[in-house]
Amino acid sequence: MTAPVALITGGARRIGAATARHLHNVGWRVIVHYRTSHTEADDLVAELNQQRAESALAIAADLTSLTDIETLARTASRHWQRLDALINNASSFYPTPVGSVTEQQWDDLIGSNLKAPFFLAQQLAGVLAEFSGAIINIADIHAERPLSEHTVYCIAKAGNVMLTKSLARELAPRVRVNGVAPGAIMWPEDAAELTPSAKAAIVDKIALKRAGVADDIARTIEFLLLHAPYVTGQILAVDGGRTLSN
């Protein structure tokens, strides 16, 4: 019951699930947040609890709703009476060409990428301080290098970067706050969004000439949580050198 606890938003799939498994493997208890991925969340939690009883929990919440955010924070902090890490991983991502953007798209992209990380941090700052915890925000290399036809997403991630730095200053010295900016880690699930030739063009611009994998992000999160006690307010790019090219 002394094992540290991490809340991972969007933790049922992709990078979130890889992070949950990785932290669980190094002895953490994990709270897996999801919005609609009920089956994936339940399967992941069952898998982890089979490995170590009472070590994983799933909680549903809509991160565009402040009421849901507050309920998620309250439930997460009370379940094991501690919280050592908040990992703001949940993110909506899709194109929003200027001229076609709707208010719903704006609310969704800003809500998941910026609003929820801020209000979760605000709600959980006290318990994180009690346990000298940390916040990890998943940013994006496109917070600084805008991606064509993804203006709203890039705005949200740019805000996420400043949120990381501002929280690091305000929540110090008891809570460290850092960000991870992935490059080409996992391709979009919509196969029509990137053709094979488009993927090849992206990889060609990466110094290491390959895409990354979800565990690259999970291992970086572990580093920031467990092996970097004097690091705060930093955004660590995990992009294979993509940002070295024009």
Side-chain angles (χ1 to χ4, degrees):
M1 293 304 294
T2 60
V5 177
L7 167 60
I8 305 163
T9 66
R13 303 169 61 250
R14 292 168 65 86
I15 288 173
T19 301
R21 287 190 176 95
H22 187 82
L23 291 181
H24 189 268
N25 285 341
V26 296
W28 286 59
R29 291 174 287 178
V30 295
I31 299 172
V32 175
H33 155 266
Y34 68 95
R35 181 171 62 174
T36 59
S37 302
H38 182 276
T39 300
E40 293 93 335
D42 283 352
D43 288 348
L44 175 58
V45 165
E47 170 194 328
L48 299 181
N49 280 329
Q50 187 171 24
Q51 295 173 20
R52 198 165 68 246
E54 297 297 321
S55 60
L57 172 72
I59 305 176
D62 178 357
L63 296 185
T64 64
S65 162
L66 185 55
T67 299
D68 274 22
I69 290 169
E70 292 172 345
T71 300
L72 170 62
R74 185 165 54 250
T75 304
S77 60
R78 289 178 179 175
H79 184 74
W80 282 304
Q81 298 298 311
R82 70 179 293 162
L83 192 69
D84 301 81
L86 165 62
I87 301 167
N88 286 308
N89 165 75
S91 172
S92 294
F93 173 80
Y94 46 81
T96 51
V98 174
S100 66
V101 179
T102 66
E103 185 177 20
Q104 188 277 330
Q105 290 173 328
W106 174 276
D107 290 344
D108 179 42
L109 288 163
I110 298 294
S112 62
N113 291 293
L114 184 55
K115 175 183 177 179
F118 171 79
F119 281 104
L120 280 171
Q122 178 170 268
Q123 289 289 316
L124 294 170
V127 66
L128 288 169
E130 181 181 350
F131 291 94
S132 298
I135 298 172
I136 307 292
N137 292 325
I138 303 300
D140 196 298
I141 61 171
H142 294 296
E144 295 184 1
R145 302 165 66 96
L147 181 63
S148 178
E149 297 192 337
H150 288 72
T151 297
V152 180
Y153 173 80
C154 293
I155 290 169
K157 287 301 190 185
N160 186 286
V161 167
M162 182 50 69
L163 172 66
T164 299
K165 295 177 180 181
S166 296
L167 287 176
R169 184 167 188 174
E170 187 158 352
L171 300 184
R174 298 292 293 171
V175 179
R176 293 183 303 110
V177 186
N178 291 291
V180 178
I185 298 296
M186 300 185 78
W187 302 118
E189 292 179 291
D190 184 354
E193 199 165 313
L194 278 178
T195 64
S197 61
K199 292 178 182 178
I202 291 171
V203 170
D204 187 58
K205 294 180 180 179
I206 299 172
L208 297 183
K209 299 303 180 187
R210 59 180 174 83
V213 296
D215 274 348
D216 291 321
I217 305 302
R219 286 191 291 267
T220 303
I221 290 171
E222 180 198 354
F223 164 73
L224 289 171
L225 290 179
L226 297 178
H227 309 296
Y230 200 55
V231 176
T232 194
Q234 303 303 306
I235 308 297
L236 182 53
V238 183
D239 67 351
R242 170 66 182 88
T243 46
L244 299 175
S245 65
N246 295 324

